[in-house]
Amino acid sequence: MERLAKPVTRPLTGEEYLESLRDGRRVLFQGEWVKDVTTHPAFRNAARSIARLYDALHAAETRDTLLTTDRLGISTHKFFTPAYSPADLLGARDAIALWQRMSFGWMGRTPEYKAAFMATLGADPDYYAPFADTARNWYRECASKVLFMNHVIVDPPVDRNRPPSEARDVYVHVVRETDGGIVVSGAKQVATASALTHATFVGVNSGSAARLQEGRDDDLALVFFVRMDNPRQILISRASYELKAESPFDSPLASRFDENDAFLVLDEAFIPWEDVLVYRDVPKAKRFYADSGFFNRFNFQTTIRMAIKTEFMLGLLQKSLECNGTADFRGNQVMVGEIVAMRHLFWSIVTAMAHDPEPSLGGSVVPRLEYAAAARIYTNFAWDRIRQIYERLLGGAPIINVSNYRDLLNPEVQPILERYLRGTGMPAKERSKLYKLVWDAMYSEFAGRHGLYELNYAGNHEQKYLDALSWAERRGLMDQFEALVDECLAQYDLDGWKDLAWSWSPDGSA
């Protein structure tokens, strides 16, 4: 995993993080194997954006907000250890927010995302018996170094009309078992930012797990880790928006915050027993996703991130309207106010998640499932509405810009640009810079990928609602809702009110 001169038993520094990525991982990009993701122009700036997070763990002005000491005496990021009280969750909230503000909410799979699961391993390792030691050891390693984990829990969109057992040529499954571990083959998606991580978590999400059946799909009922230097793990990366970004002026977000997604293939990859959490156990493969508290916790992280990203988009929209001279138009203020309300809603859910948690494994607490389910739905669908508002209020203004930064350096056309491309009280260069940022956030290829990410990272559009309903049924909430209606129905009949507190007569008189 890491090729450092000395074993590290504390949070990595930025430089140590970058060094740890030079481990021979197999990343395919544009027909070639990437020799070093920390220097390759498709990945290097994103890697340095992550390295800045690690440096913040050691900086005097930020480390107290970010770090805590867990019950084992490990100094770690506050979201990398289980929470045991609302105060712990509030501390984690502030640590997540500090990291997220460093990328303005534009990097969704930063290290604390998968810490939503990895921390739960420390709360009750025995839940994963007979692989309790796997949970225990991975928690220690992850917490002590603040490891960056990626995850793949979605089956490829192939043969989904057939039972999983009939798609073994594609889906991750056990090929054979050995004394030292298991050999697995198959593919998973979407391995976001995986080229820059320390290990892959392979599991099943709620939608995939629902299709598994005991006695038929046991060889697919797996949860395990794959270290990035595994020679039989292949990452097939999509196009790099960072690579296409010619300058920060033209692509201020894509040039440094592109979390390159990958299609992950395991080609008879050997997984030692010490990296296995669930093996041939359909019931546990179905339950762990909810039982672990991962769902509750990852929505805590994503809601904080989305609140910060919404704040960024609010500031960007307001500055753009001021540039156009339309910030005081009543209709524009109405829609800006709508996004303000979204921002308040997200932070309110975060507050409820922290102050009103529910018990979880090993005496820990996690954000309440009902709040997590609601956050999952409303944060995922918010982005479409934000983009819609941008399109209505800014119209064609984002299109009107120079081709790239070199146009602004041409002395012959500078007077023309200054006259016709200026903003309201804003010189042409600053107006161009502002709207280049709008374009990168809303309309570039990088922005298009973010639209897909925000809508789908937490599951398909139907599963989000189905899960909310299913969990409400399992917890008896739907019975409570119906009981409330039954109480109302029981208070009257054809003869009138049954409670003397109200009066009624057939002719309508009191």
Side-chain angles (χ1 to χ4, degrees):
M1 176 179 306
E2 294 165 11
R3 300 295 179 260
L4 304 177
K6 297 180 180 179
V8 176
T9 56
R10 51 151 176 78
L12 299 172
T13 65
E15 187 54 45
E16 288 169 342
Y17 159 72
L18 293 174
E19 178 61 29
S20 71
L21 304 184
R22 302 181 180 110
D23 58 4
R25 60 192 59 205
R26 303 190 72 197
V27 180
L28 183 68
F29 184 78
Q30 293 187 342
E32 299 179 348
W33 299 109
V34 177
K35 294 180 180 179
D36 185 346
V37 293
T38 70
T39 59
H40 193 287
F43 304 96
R44 62 190 178 191
N45 282 337
R48 278 154 182 76
S49 293
I50 299 297
R52 291 178 68 236
L53 305 182
Y54 281 96
D55 281 335
L57 295 170
H58 302 272
E61 63 273 21
T62 52
R63 65 189 178 202
D64 288 344
T65 300
L66 290 170
L67 294 177
T68 189
T69 300
D70 73 1
R71 293 187 172 188
L72 300 176
I74 298 171
S75 176
T76 189
H77 185 286
K78 290 178 181 177
F79 200 53
F80 275 67
T81 186
Y84 294 94
S85 68
D88 289 344
L89 286 171
L90 290 170
R93 174 200 64 187
D94 295 343
I96 294 167
L98 192 156
W99 262 8
Q100 280 301 320
R101 289 189 188 281
M102 293 175 69
S103 63
F104 313 107
W106 283 93
M107 297 190 87
R109 295 297 172 88
T110 42
E112 85 279 9
Y113 177 87
K114 198 57 194 176
F117 175 75
M118 299 304 292
T120 71
L121 299 179
D124 185 12
D126 291 332
Y127 173 84
Y128 294 94
F131 300 105
D133 284 344
T134 296
R136 188 173 291 108
N137 293 334
W138 268 96
Y139 170 74
R140 285 179 178 274
E141 184 175 4
C142 189
S144 63
K145 300 174 185 175
V146 187
L147 293 184
F148 188 5
M149 309 289 292
N150 79 86
H151 82 186
V152 284
I153 59 176
V154 179
D155 294 326
V158 176
D159 293 338
R160 290 187 177 176
N161 60 321
R162 302 162 61 189
S165 58
E166 296 182 14
R168 285 189 177 88
D169 61 326
V170 174
Y171 297 172
V172 172
H173 64 283
V174 179
V175 175
R176 61 183 176 274
E177 178 182 326
T178 72
D179 291 341
I182 57 176
V183 176
V184 298
S185 286
K188 283 278 189 179
Q189 64 179 50
V190 176
T192 299
S194 54
L196 305 180
T197 61
H198 294 118
T200 301
F201 171 88
V202 182
V204 288
N205 65 2
S206 55
S208 298
R211 304 177 65 210
L212 298 179
Q213 293 184 15
E214 287 187 77
R216 185 194 71 182
D217 303 316
D218 294 5
D219 61 333
L220 292 94
L222 306 169
V223 179
F224 57 90
F225 300 101
V226 189
R227 298 178 185 268
M228 295 309 294
D229 60 0
N230 190 308
R232 308 297 291 185
Q233 176 178 240
I234 299 171
L235 300 177
I236 304 173
S237 294
R238 61 158 167 79
S240 169
Y241 313 132
E242 177 181 329
L243 180 64
K244 296 178 181 180
E246 187 173 354
S247 76
F249 189 94
D250 295 310
S251 305
L253 301 175
S255 60
R256 54 181 167 161
F257 299 139
D258 182 18
E259 301 175 287
N260 201 298
D261 309 284
F263 191 74
L264 184 141
V265 176
L266 300 172
D267 181 20
E268 295 209 354
F270 174 70
I271 311 298
W273 290 121
E274 55 264 30
D275 292 340
V276 176
L277 279 177
V278 176
Y279 178 61
R280 290 185 178 273
D281 190 335
V282 170
K284 185 164 283 189
K286 287 175 176 283
R287 294 194 316 266
F288 95 96
Y289 189 73
D291 287 355
S292 67
F294 169 57
F295 179 88
N296 313 57
R297 285 172 53 90
F298 93 68
N299 279 291
F300 189 60
Q301 187 267 356
T302 57
T303 307
I304 294 168
R305 180 190 63 80
M306 192 61 186
I308 291 169
K309 190 175 183 181
T310 302
E311 292 175 355
F312 180 86
M313 298 310 295
L314 267 169
L316 184 58
L317 180 59
Q318 185 67 15
K319 288 181 72 68
S320 299
L321 292 172
E322 290 169 356
C323 177
N324 289 357
T326 59
D328 294 332
F329 290 11
R330 179 180 175 87
N332 291 355
Q333 291 177 334
V334 167
M335 289 191 173
V336 172
E338 181 180 344
I339 304 179
V340 170
M342 286 184 197
R343 180 266 182 197
H344 296 341
L345 174 64
F346 298 151
W347 280 120
S348 297
I349 295 176
V350 170
T351 298
M353 284 176 159
H355 282 282
D356 185 24
E358 64 180 51
S360 188
L361 298 176
S364 65
V365 296
V366 295
R368 191 165 296 279
L369 182 64
E370 294 89 327
Y371 304 157
R376 177 195 195 188
I377 290 170
Y378 289 104
T379 57
N380 283 189
F381 290 112
W383 193 249
D384 278 354
R385 180 56 180 160
I386 291 173
R387 176 165 177 158
Q388 188 180 61
I389 289 173
Y390 262 71
E391 290 173 347
R392 277 159 174 69
L393 299 194
L394 300 184
I399 297 175
I400 307 305
N401 214 326
V402 295
S403 60
N404 79 2
Y405 73 98
R406 291 186 181 87
D407 291 343
L408 293 162
L409 300 176
N410 186 326
E412 180 182 355
V413 298
Q414 278 183 357
I416 297 173
L417 296 178
E418 198 55 57
R419 180 175 184 179
Y420 294 108
L421 207 62
R422 65 176 176 82
T424 303
M426 183 180 293
K429 183 180 76 172
E430 296 307 315
R431 192 262 179 203
S432 180
K433 183 178 183 181
L434 176 66
Y435 271 96
K436 287 285 188 180
L437 179 56
V438 170
W439 188 266
D440 209 19
M442 282 282 105
Y443 309 110
S444 66
E445 194 173 3
F446 170 83
R449 178 266 178 192
H450 264 264
L452 280 175
Y453 178 82
E454 297 296 359
L455 186 61
N456 294 293
Y457 74 81
N460 69 70
H461 68 286
E462 293 180 333
Q463 195 65 44
K464 298 163 192 174
Y465 292 104
L466 291 173
D467 284 344
L469 173 60
S470 174
W471 293 329
E473 290 173 339
R474 291 182 199 174
R475 294 189 165 202
L477 291 175
M478 295 305 293
D479 291 338
Q480 293 178 30
F481 304 153
E482 290 192 35
L484 192 62
V485 177
D486 289 340
E487 181 182 349
C488 179
L489 291 170
Q491 291 173 349
Y492 59 91
D493 58 19
L494 290 174
D495 296 324
W497 301 113
K498 294 183 178 182
D499 190 318
L500 296 180
W502 298 283
S503 62
W504 175 83
S505 60
D507 62 4
S509 61

